[in-house]
Amino acid sequence: MSGIKTPIELIGHHNAIDRNTAVAAALELIKAEIGQSGSKILLKQHLELLSEYADQIEAAVNKS
């Protein structure tokens, strides 16, 4: 097993995250959901909301 951690694993080990990690985590969550459905329409909808998802992840993790 490699030492490379997924964005979700990185979030679990830090009290604060940067924007890139939040976006990467949001993409991982989108990938997991799209993988189940394979819907290109659903993918487009999620990508349009990517910034909002990242905002929510950042706010949740960086909350004091």
Side-chain angles (χ1 to χ4, degrees):
M1 184 186 235
S2 72
I4 298 172
K5 297 195 181 302
T6 67
I8 303 298
E9 290 172 325
L10 288 173
I11 288 172
H13 294 283
H14 296 285
N15 293 330
I17 60 168
D18 63 15
R19 183 66 177 183
N20 290 338
T21 303
V23 170
L27 288 170
E28 286 291 323
L29 295 170
I30 291 169
K31 182 173 86 172
E33 183 168 337
I34 298 304
Q36 294 175 7
S37 71
S39 169
K40 290 182 181 180
I41 293 170
L42 187 57
L43 175 60
K44 185 176 191 272
Q45 292 170 342
H46 279 304
L47 291 177
E48 289 172 354
L49 294 169
L50 178 59
S51 182
E52 184 178 326
Y53 295 161
D55 290 345
Q56 292 175 6
I57 292 168
E58 275 186 294
V61 175
N62 295 335
K63 192 175 184 178
S64 319

